[in-house]
Amino acid sequence: MHITRGFTGRPRVDDPGLPPGQYDAGDDWPVLSAEVTPDLAPADWTFRVDGLVAEPRTWDWEEAHRLPPSAYEGAIHCVTSWSKFGVRFAGVSLDAFLDVVRPHGSATHAVAYSHTGYTTNLPLADLTGGRAWIAWEYDGRPLAPEHGGPARLLVPHLYFWKSAKWIAGLRILDHDEPGFWERNGYHERGNPWEEQRYSGD
Amino acid sequence: MTETFVPPTRFAVPGRIAVSEQAASVWQTATLTEIRRETPRASTYRFAVPGWPGHVPGQHLMVRLTAEDGYTAQRHYSIASAPDASGHVELTLDHVEGGEVSGWFHTVARVGDRVEVRGPVSGFFAWPGDRPALLIGAGSGVVPLMSMVRHHRARNLAVPLRMLVSARSPEELIYARELGAETTPVFTRRAPEGVPVGRMAAAHVAPLLAEQPPGGWEAYVCGSNSFAEHASRLLVTAGQPVDRIRIERFG
């Protein structure tokens, strides 16, 4: 570690909720997506789960909204080093979708893909047990298009590039398959508490 | 067998740039060798990085500053310089109001200071110089685009390259002295005599899309999120395919 001459940093409290290398973005919610924001109406949104499952299934907006509602309140962490606290998302737990399609015993991973073609890979264990959502509300309002509306994946315990915007589906696999940013140099899993930012971390 | 999902766009084409895993995961010490004022709010910082593995224009690096109590702050910054064998890289930083890292650079940093860097990282926004490039930026969004322009010049590349860059005024146009015939500046608040003032518009984009080079343009958009939204919509409206638009948003 090299001390930077004259650098004191901003006034800080030791926040146990802040992973290493992150700062609190406060009220800001930066937008980071590499593609053109799609023009996607709720009526055109669908969410499919297929691959190694007993019953592949596609939900449309209304069908997905008939599943039991579930909310997340807590922090999110972006690999570019901002974190945001006290965010409130509402939608449906991913468990509710997986209970319907029933993944095979051999299933270990999933590739999440968006309506733009963006992909990201996740261990199935990171998507189950009440740790992942399909979210369509932020702070009581419909999720804005630039933040992934009408609906995005939400996996708040991993860096936020894993929470695919404009989520279109999950393909359940028995192996790991790198997605878009993972093929562009980012870490396979992306755990902020272990600073898994880039491949090789 | 289940049907295969086909997205309406083919955005997720694999990145064309192989990122060195080793380079991305190692922090190195960089020594500040030069500071150049670009505009009242932006300066260029040149670093000697002895182990720099080289980069592709459009890539960025991470800078880490460490306080005496061990507190660290790290930020992603686009690389401004073209790749070369000098063992140096340059960053151009805006002085962000209340910025923890950019504030240190603009008020404390002097030649001889050392910081830590890692990279280059991310291959998506990179342009190796192989395809016609249409570059659209605003404010400090011009930084990674300038790396591409400089690369184009340094290598004397024949592949077409055009740049549209938006600034509030001529004084705030970063790299103004370096911009050449490839660049069309757009001024939003104040312009030189005889140049219109206004936001980037379809009229700026349409002529460039009308003169499509063989194989079509690869578009690179860089700036604030609101600018990126605006510029990418101008491109789509003018007929640029969405899967040929790469966006770097300064959050």
Side-chain angles (χ1 to χ4, degrees):
Chain A
M1 183 179 298
H2 174 84
I3 307 294
T4 314
R5 182 191 64 81
F7 176 69
T8 53
R10 58 165 66 104
R12 52 194 172 269
V13 285
D14 225 358
D15 187 340
L18 201 59
Q22 297 291 108
Y23 70 94
D24 183 352
D27 291 336
D28 286 346
W29 187 4
V31 174
L32 293 153
S33 34
E35 71 267 58
V36 178
T37 300
D39 196 7
L40 183 64
D44 299 325
W45 178 84
T46 54
F47 177 63
R48 177 171 177 82
V49 186
D50 61 19
L52 296 175
V53 298
E55 285 183 58
R57 168 84 201 259
T58 303
W59 287 263
D60 65 19
W61 186 252
E62 289 185 5
E63 290 165 340
H65 279 68
R66 283 201 283 273
L67 292 168
S70 178
Y72 169 76
E73 181 165 351
I76 54 176
H77 312 286
C78 177
V79 70
T80 62
S81 79
W82 57 265
S83 291
K84 189 169 172 57
F85 294 98
V87 300
R88 295 192 302 138
F89 285 98
V92 169
S93 168
L94 210 52
D95 292 314
F97 295 94
L98 293 173
D99 285 348
V100 174
V101 300
R102 288 177 286 127
H104 294 162
S106 60
T108 57
H109 289 80
V111 169
Y113 51 89
S114 81
H115 282 273
T116 63
Y118 175 86
T119 57
T120 188
N121 57 326
L122 298 115
L124 208 46
D126 281 317
L127 292 172
T128 52
R131 300 212 290 168
W133 290 260
I134 298 299
W136 41 63
E137 266 184 34
Y138 177 78
D139 215 9
R141 295 208 181 91
L143 185 62
E146 61 185 17
H147 289 301
R152 73 181 297 159
L153 180 62
L154 175 68
V155 191
H157 67 284
L158 299 179
Y159 283 128
F160 221 45
W161 89 81
K162 294 289 182 181
S163 296
K165 295 177 178 183
W166 314 296
I167 187 74
L170 290 178
R171 183 156 301 120
I172 309 296
L173 306 170
D174 60 4
H175 60 278
D176 197 5
E177 211 172 272
F180 175 77
W181 283 122
E182 295 80 16
R183 290 195 302 268
N184 277 287
Y186 284 73
H187 196 273
E188 288 294 298
R189 178 146 184 266
N191 180 351
W193 296 96
E194 294 176 18
E195 277 205 88
Q196 295 171 340
R197 297 176 191 275
Y198 304 108
S199 56
D201 277 351
Chain B
M1 202 48 216
T2 58
E3 72 200 82
T4 301
F5 172 80
V6 180
T9 70
R10 290 171 295 106
F11 161 73
V13 286
R16 292 179 291 141
I17 312 303
V19 177
S20 157
E21 294 191 9
Q22 202 188 348
S25 61
V26 177
W27 287 101
Q28 310 184 52
T29 301
T31 305
L32 200 49
T33 59
E34 187 188 341
I35 302 174
R36 293 197 307 270
R37 174 71 73 177
E38 300 282 358
T39 71
R41 292 179 25 170
S43 291
T44 292
Y45 299 85
R46 183 172 177 85
F47 299 93
V49 191
W52 186 249
H55 66 279
V56 178
Q59 285 191 289
H60 51 250
L61 57 68
M62 212 155 179
V63 172
R64 179 165 74 183
L65 306 184
T66 304
E68 280 190 18
D69 64 358
Y71 171 81
T72 61
Q74 49 190 355
R75 298 288 185 274
H76 284 251
Y77 292 117
S78 294
I79 299 167
S81 47
D84 58 29
S86 68
H88 287 71
V89 288
E90 293 184 357
L91 306 178
T92 300
L93 308 187
D94 254 341
H95 192 170
V96 180
E97 188 83 28
E100 187 178 31
V101 174
S102 74
W104 179 84
F105 273 102
H106 279 269
T107 60
V108 179
R110 62 185 185 222
V111 168
D113 278 338
R114 292 185 296 164
V115 302
E116 289 174 295
V117 300
R118 75 187 280 198
V121 290
S122 188
F124 175 70
F125 199 71
W127 180 73
D130 56 345
R131 299 186 193 173
L134 177 54
L135 316 178
I136 303 186
S140 58
V142 70
V143 173
L145 309 181
M146 197 63 204
S147 176
M148 300 173 189
V149 171
R150 288 166 167 165
H151 182 60
H152 191 263
R153 291 178 186 167
R155 298 292 166 93
N156 222 353
L157 300 176
V159 62
L161 175 141
R162 297 292 304 273
M163 181 157 76
L164 272 177
V165 59
S166 174
R168 274 178 285 220
S169 67
E171 295 73 33
E172 291 197 51
L173 179 62
I174 301 175
Y175 313 126
R177 287 182 306 276
E178 265 188 79
L179 302 177
E182 80 290 305
T183 300
T184 306
V186 178
F187 297 106
T188 58
R189 301 263 177 86
R190 205 165 47 72
E193 193 70 31
V195 177
V197 173
R199 201 179 188 202
M200 194 175 288
H204 297 106
V205 176
L208 296 169
L209 287 186
E211 45 167 282
Q212 284 280 333
W217 294 110
E218 202 76 19
Y220 291 79
V221 175
C222 188
S224 67
N225 179 58
S226 59
F227 176 80
E229 287 290 304
H230 174 65
S232 61
R233 279 177 204 291
L234 288 179
L235 281 168
V236 171
T237 304
Q240 176 71 7
V242 288
D243 60 326
R244 303 283 301 272
I245 302 174
R246 291 158 196 267
I247 305 179
E248 187 96 277
R249 299 166 202 254
F250 286 177

